[in-house]
Each structure stands twice: as C-alpha cells, then as structure tokens.
Amino acid sequence: GYPSPLRRARGVRFAKKPVLYYPVSKYHTFFFFFFFFRHMQRYLTHALARTRTATALSASRPLSSSSPAATDSAATDSAASYPMFDKVLVANRGEIAIRVMRTCRRLGIKTVAVHSDIDVAAQHVLEADEAYNIGAAPSAESYLLGDKIIDVCRATGAQAVHPGYGFLSENAEFSEKCAAHGITFVGPPAKAIVDMGSKSASKNIMIDAGVPVTPGYHGDNQDPNHLKQQADDMGYPVMLKAVLGGGGKGMRMVAKEEDFFDALDACKREAMKGFADDAMLIEKFLTQPRHVELQVFADTHGNAVHMNERDCSLQRRMQKVLEEAPAPGLSAEQRVKMGKVSFGRFVCGVCACVG
C-alpha cells in the first residue's frame, strides 16, 4: 500500500500502487448487460411516453360537445358485430389496466390509457395505443376526475370506459355521465351501483327475488330503542352493520343485551367517520359460518353467468385474509344449488342490477 504521512515526510519512497484483478466470468458479464439494458429500457420508455403524452384539456386541442364520428358510426353498426367496440379507454392503472388492455388487444380493440404526472412511464401507459395525462400524482387530481376522463373519451373517439376496480368503478355519478355522453360504462348501471352500495337496499332486492338472506332487521327506523327491540326479538348474539361502506368498518358483534347501546354508538361513530352515514342494520350472528360467495355477471341482453364459488371464511377483524377457489368441502349438489339460486330468479328479476 501507500506509506503513512510520517514516513512520506522522512523521504520514504512510495510503494507501487497495487493492481487488483477481478475475475470476470459469464455471470459478471450477464449482470452487467442486464442492468445496462434495463437502465436503457427505462430511459427510452420514459422518453417515448413523454412524446406520446398529450393533455386532453389543452387549449390547442378543443373538445367538441358532440360525440366523435367513431362513436356515431359504431352506434349504427349491428349489435351482433364483433368486436363490440373499436376503442376502449381504461380508467385505471397498474395490473388491472394492463390485463384489460392485453385482452382488448387479443380482441382487436384499440386502447387508450390515462395517467398522472408520476405515471408517465408506467407499464399501462406503454401497453396502450394512446396515452393522455389527466393531472397530478394524487388520485383525487387525476384518476378520480370523471369529467376529464369523459373529455379524453370524446377527444379520442373511445366508445367505452373500463373502470377496472377501485377509483370510479363504483361511482354512480360517473356511470350516469358516461351514459349521458353516449359512452358505454363497462360495469353495472348507476341504479345497480346505488342499490348494491346499500346493504339494506340490496337485501330487499334479494328478498324480492327469492334469494335466501341472513335473518335480521334492515328497515328505515333508526331509533336506538327500536333497534334494541329488534335485537332482543331475534336473540343474541347479533351483528351490527353500517348500511353503507364495507371493509369491516362500522361492524360490531353484540353478545349480551347490556352491551347493545355501547356497541351501537361505536358503530355509528365509525360509520359516520368512514362513510358519512350512520344508518345501521342488524343481523343474527352466526357462530360457526362459512363465507362462500359467487360472482354473478349479466349483460344488457338478459344473459347471465356465475364464475363459480370461492371460500372467504378465513378472516381477521371482519376482513378477508384468504380466498380459496373452488371452495373446499362443498359437494357437487351444494355447488349446483348455490349456482341456481345465485342467478335464477334473481337475474330474471333484476338482471340490470348485477355487475
């Protein structure tokens, strides 16, 4: 190595700088080129995305109040034409947007992506045929701006909007605006979103359609004493649930009569904080239940199908931890019976309410 400062002061000659030889193998070469090309890919995709990005609300690109010609021509085509749309806007990001876009590509449908400032080089932007910047990084300033998304649809000639999940997928107002502008919302209609967003309304629909529901009270009378009387009549334990919202919020199990009012107050506070509504319903608490559910899909032509069952019984704090499909321990007879009930009379009566 090198001599110390004291030895250098005494005129000690510098030692020769050692030369270190690192073994170079095929693995070193591989990782060098791997990270080099990965870095170049990120740089080039970022540059490409910036060149493809445009702002739909730019003054240099005014938006007409009428639907584009592509939408008009598609509306005159036969309903049996395939594919149904020429261009679809995917109002989401990440995995769900990529999956929708890849499916559209297989069907020969062009796709339009929307993104925030921070997602300019995101994968879903690169997957799409067109990409438009609609705002800043926060979701409230970009992906949740339904008016901007509709403007992008009109500017690009997209005939449909696929909301993915989250964001605007359960926004009834956005669904109505899409319909008002002649844009197909790939999802349930506004009435279905409103009805299914309320546990009380959805229970009434299920009962009218002949679908079995958990016994309980889901009426409009929200007087605490009336709710207490309903719980006393059905017997404890009972489950208190917020009428709106989900995610396990606004839910309490009441095991004894004397604990009812304290649990009710706690549920109401949590529901008001989370959903701006403190309406409650009561269900008979099942001590050893199995949570097995089926997803039902229906179209506007009266066709319906369920996607088989999944077991969601493993939960923590009223939220699902694991979903298992097909459900274990479910006989073939039970599976067929659940399938018939899930979209038998239900779909015949309220087909438009299924998403």
Side-chain angles (χ1 to χ4, degrees), residues 20 66 73 78 89 107 118 123 136 148 165 183 187 196 222 234 245 261 267 269 274 294-295 307 312 314 353-354:
L20 300 179
S66 60
S73 61
S78 171
L89 185 146
L107 296 174
I118 200 172
Q123 185 63 34
K148 280 193 174 182
Y165 52 73
I183 301 170
M196 294 297 122
Q222 293 292 307
M234 71 181 68
F261 288 113
C267 284
R269 287 194 302 270
L294 292 89
Q295 281 190 318
M307 305 303 292
C312 313
L314 185 58
C353 291
V354 185

Side-chain angles (χ1 to χ4, degrees), residues 275-289:
F275 316 121
D277 189 290
D278 63 354
M280 306 298 296
L281 61 83
I282 307 173
E283 290 181 349
K284 179 64 179 177
F285 183 78
L286 306 178
T287 55
Q288 291 184 328

Side-chain angles (χ1 to χ4, degrees), residues 67 174-183:
S67 300
F174 178 68
S175 177
E176 290 178 339
K177 287 183 178 180
C178 287
H181 288 85
I183 301 170

Side-chain angles (χ1 to χ4, degrees), residues 286-297:
L286 306 178
T287 55
Q288 291 184 328
R290 284 190 64 186
H291 182 147
V292 181
E293 61 185 44
L294 292 89
Q295 281 190 318
V296 182
F297 293 85

Side-chain angles (χ1 to χ4, degrees), residues 1 108 119 126 163 188 213 271 291 300 351:
D119 289 331
L126 305 178
V213 300
H291 182 147
T300 56
C351 178

Side-chain angles (χ1 to χ4, degrees), residues 219-240:
D220 296 329
N221 191 340
Q222 293 292 307
D223 180 71
N225 293 321
H226 179 75
L227 296 176
K228 170 71 164 48
Q229 184 61 50
Q230 294 293 326
D232 293 343
D233 294 342
M234 71 181 68
Y236 294 89
V238 297
M239 176 67 80
L240 297 176

